[in-house]
Amino acid sequence: MVHRIFGWIGGYLKVRIQGNNVERFVNLCRNRGIILWQLYWDPKDNILYFRIALRDFYRLRPVARKCKVHPIVVKRYGLPFLIDQMKRRASLCLGIVLCFALVIFLSTRIWGISVEGQSYHTEESVMEYLDSIDVYGGMPGNALECSRLEEQIRRKYNDVGWCSVEKKGSKIFIRMKEVLLVSKEKKKKKGHLIAEEAGEVVSIVTRNGTAKVKAKDKVKKGKILISGVVDIFGDNQELVEKDFVHAEGNVVLSVKEHYKDSLAKRYEKKVYTGRERRVYELQVGESKFFYYNPLKNLETFEKYDIIREGGKLCPFLSQRFPVSHSVKTFREIIYQRQVYSAKEAEEILEKRFAYYLQQKKEAGYVLKEQDVSFENHREDYQYKGNLVFWKEQETYRTITKKKIVYKENEADGDNGNGN
């Protein structure tokens, strides 16, 4: 095995000779220390095949001259001939070497980050945090410390009770488990419950404080509904002190509102002409390159919309990949004068009204009555009427005063018999 290896490194040849002095040729080679192996005689064509080391082949010339034979090389084996072939195909060999070098280099980097298990925190927010602490796709794999990254994530997110970071090949797997945090109740400040806006009291239930209104009372904006001042009386029904507390209770106001929305009959409708132009943008780092069809002149467009599509290349590998590509499409538009029909205008105004009611509902208002109508005027359409909402009041006015204590009247000691 060792001889084969060294023979391949030095190189050897498969040679054939033909003639009447073949036996003499073999004997002379043996006498001169030229080693031949795998000899094969072809009696049909009177040809001898053998293998010989490359360095011994050049010693055959005087032997072949004496025996009057001509050695012909049939095939070449070994490293010297392989190197010669590689020189002829240098570009291919260089490409193979660079390919292996690139594979080895890329295998030492991180090319994927997977975040699993989170529900409150989005994957994008977690990826942004990882990027801020230099954990990103394309970073060196030996620069990652899984235990240290786990500690950083738990320190950043207080609601993450368990975190695991695992590196497999060229990818990082981050698994998180969130826990519910018990929120501490804030200390309630002393204050009055006041009316957010003018209205009529529908109902009032007082849990803490002093009620200042009753059902069916009409109040203005800022009126105190439940006072945070509590009067404390003594045994003889005299005012002993005034204590200030946080007013608590449920007060529902009925609020009347006049709704009005209008829509002009005449309007300009945006229409695409079908003419468009695309501009391709390639950004590498801070440098930008644009390419487009010069036959389509953008200056002939009086008005146009711009639609941009694209982004970073290979964002799944790394957010820091410095190459991005986008396409800007310029679409020519013209404006045509149109007139809303009564049916179209009513549908639009009804959608606006439904959206307005949805906003009021999200703000805590409950619709109880509505009397709205659609009206067709000369220049516009109108949707107007009266609305009645019920709203529970939640606005407070802070009290800065401290508790007030009154001194009781003391007797003069004569039991009322003054002489």
Side-chain angles (χ1 to χ4, degrees):
M1 186 67 181
V2 176
H3 298 289
R4 288 185 180 181
I5 295 175
F6 282 102
W8 184 86
I9 294 175
Y12 61 94
L13 306 170
K14 181 179 180 182
V15 182
R16 68 183 177 89
I17 58 174
Q18 187 176 9
N20 297 324
N21 298 323
V22 173
E23 293 182 1
R24 184 185 177 193
F25 174 83
V26 174
N27 292 330
L28 289 175
C29 289
R30 182 178 180 183
N31 293 332
R32 298 192 178 193
I34 301 175
I35 301 175
L36 309 178
W37 71 91
Q38 292 187 3
L39 284 79
Y40 170 73
W41 173 256
D42 185 359
K44 182 178 179 181
D45 298 326
N46 197 23
I47 298 174
L48 175 68
Y49 293 92
F50 60 90
R51 285 174 169 77
I52 185 173
L54 179 61
R55 65 178 182 275
D56 292 337
F57 179 76
Y58 299 105
R59 299 168 57 192
L60 291 180
R61 181 174 297 178
V63 178
R65 189 180 298 114
K66 282 186 178 182
C67 299
K68 298 181 180 180
V69 295
H70 183 65
I72 299 175
V73 178
V74 178
K75 198 170 183 180
R76 298 172 176 85
Y77 302 91
L79 182 61
F81 306 106
L82 180 62
I83 293 175
D84 185 60
Q85 292 178 1
M86 292 174 63
K87 288 180 180 179
R88 297 175 186 176
R89 302 176 182 178
S91 58
L92 176 62
C93 297
L94 181 62
I96 295 174
V97 173
L98 291 179
C99 180
F100 277 104
L102 183 62
V103 170
I104 294 173
F105 172 75
L106 295 179
S107 64
T108 61
R109 321 292 287 190
I110 299 297
W111 295 113
I113 301 176
S114 173
V115 182
E116 303 172 358
Q118 82 288 355
S119 57
Y120 178 75
H121 303 286
T122 62
E123 183 177 356
E124 289 76 14
S125 64
V126 176
M127 294 295 289
E128 288 180 1
Y129 170 68
L130 294 177
D131 188 78
S132 66
I133 59 175
D134 293 331
V135 177
Y136 57 93
M139 66 174 292
N142 55 7
L144 176 68
E145 297 182 14
C146 296
S147 58
R148 184 170 178 268
L149 182 56
E150 292 173 0
E151 183 181 352
Q152 288 177 315
I153 293 175
R154 287 195 297 267
R155 191 184 303 117
K156 171 65 177 178
Y157 302 103
N158 295 328
D159 56 347
V160 174
W162 175 82
C163 178
S164 171
V165 178
E166 183 181 8
K167 177 187 172 185
K168 286 186 177 180
S170 298
K171 192 171 183 179
I172 303 174
F173 293 88
I174 300 177
R175 300 176 179 86
M176 305 165 58
K177 187 174 182 181
E178 300 170 349
V179 296
L180 295 177
L181 297 178
V182 180
S183 58
K184 297 181 179 179
E185 294 186 0
K186 295 182 178 179
K187 186 177 181 181
K188 295 180 180 180
K189 295 182 179 181
K190 301 173 182 180
H192 306 295
L193 179 63
I194 63 174
E196 299 176 12
E197 52 193 319
E200 181 179 338
V201 179
V202 177
S203 63
I204 179 171
V205 177
T206 306
R207 291 192 297 272
N208 194 18
T210 305
K212 292 295 184 180
V213 295
K214 59 183 182 297
K216 296 184 179 181
D217 285 353
K218 294 182 178 180
V219 298
K220 296 181 179 180
K221 181 179 180 180
K223 170 70 176 179
I224 297 177
L225 305 175
I226 300 178
S227 175
V229 180
V230 179
D231 295 336
I232 300 176
F233 296 91
D235 295 337
N236 54 358
Q237 298 301 316
E238 291 184 357
L239 182 62
V240 176
E241 60 180 317
K242 288 181 179 288
D243 195 9
F244 299 96
V245 298
H246 178 76
E248 293 183 3
N250 300 97
V251 182
V252 179
L253 292 187
S254 176
V255 181
K256 294 182 179 180
E257 184 176 325
H258 180 71
Y259 177 82
K260 182 179 180 181
D261 191 11
S262 61
L263 180 66
K265 289 186 176 181
R266 295 178 177 83
Y267 71 100
E268 290 186 343
K269 183 179 180 181
K270 183 170 65 174
V271 179
Y272 291 100
T273 64
R275 295 179 62 197
E276 63 179 33
R277 184 191 185 193
R278 293 184 178 179
V279 177
Y280 299 89
E281 176 184 339
L282 179 66
Q283 182 173 353
V284 181
E286 298 297 330
S287 303
K288 294 183 179 180
F289 306 92
F290 301 92
Y291 49 101
Y292 53 87
N293 186 356
L295 299 178
K296 294 185 177 181
N297 194 355
L298 184 62
E299 294 178 357
T300 60
F301 294 2
E302 293 184 1
K303 296 180 180 180
Y304 50 84
D305 279 349
I306 302 176
I307 301 175
R308 186 179 185 275
E309 299 175 337
K312 289 188 176 181
L313 297 180
C314 305
F316 56 91
L317 293 180
S318 174
Q319 296 293 329
R320 297 190 180 189
F321 199 74
V323 181
S324 61
H325 182 268
S326 62
V327 180
K328 288 183 180 179
T329 304
F330 298 84
R331 295 182 178 178
E332 184 184 24
I333 57 175
I334 59 174
Y335 289 93
Q336 297 178 351
R337 293 185 177 181
Q338 302 285 343
V339 178
Y340 284 115
S341 65
K343 184 177 180 181
E344 291 175 340
E346 187 174 4
E347 290 179 355
I348 294 174
L349 292 174
E350 283 181 352
K351 289 181 180 179
R352 290 183 184 178
F353 178 66
Y355 178 70
Y356 175 77
L357 293 181
Q358 180 63 28
Q359 286 184 316
K360 298 292 284 187
K361 183 178 179 181
E362 292 175 358
Y365 291 85
V366 179
L367 180 64
K368 289 298 180 180
E369 297 178 16
Q370 69 173 20
D371 181 17
V372 293
S373 60
F374 175 76
E375 298 179 1
N376 188 347
H377 293 270
R378 182 177 179 181
E379 298 294 333
D380 62 0
Y381 300 101
Q382 293 186 2
Y383 204 74
K384 62 182 180 179
N386 297 318
L387 305 174
V388 178
F389 296 98
W390 283 12
K391 176 70 166 64
E392 185 174 348
Q393 304 303 293
E394 298 176 345
T395 304
Y396 287 87
R397 183 188 301 162
T398 305
I399 302 174
T400 57
K401 295 181 180 180
K402 297 182 180 180
K403 180 169 61 175
I404 301 175
V405 180
Y406 296 90
K407 294 183 179 179
E408 296 184 4
N409 295 329
E410 297 180 356
D412 55 5
D414 56 2
N415 295 324
N417 298 322
N419 294 323

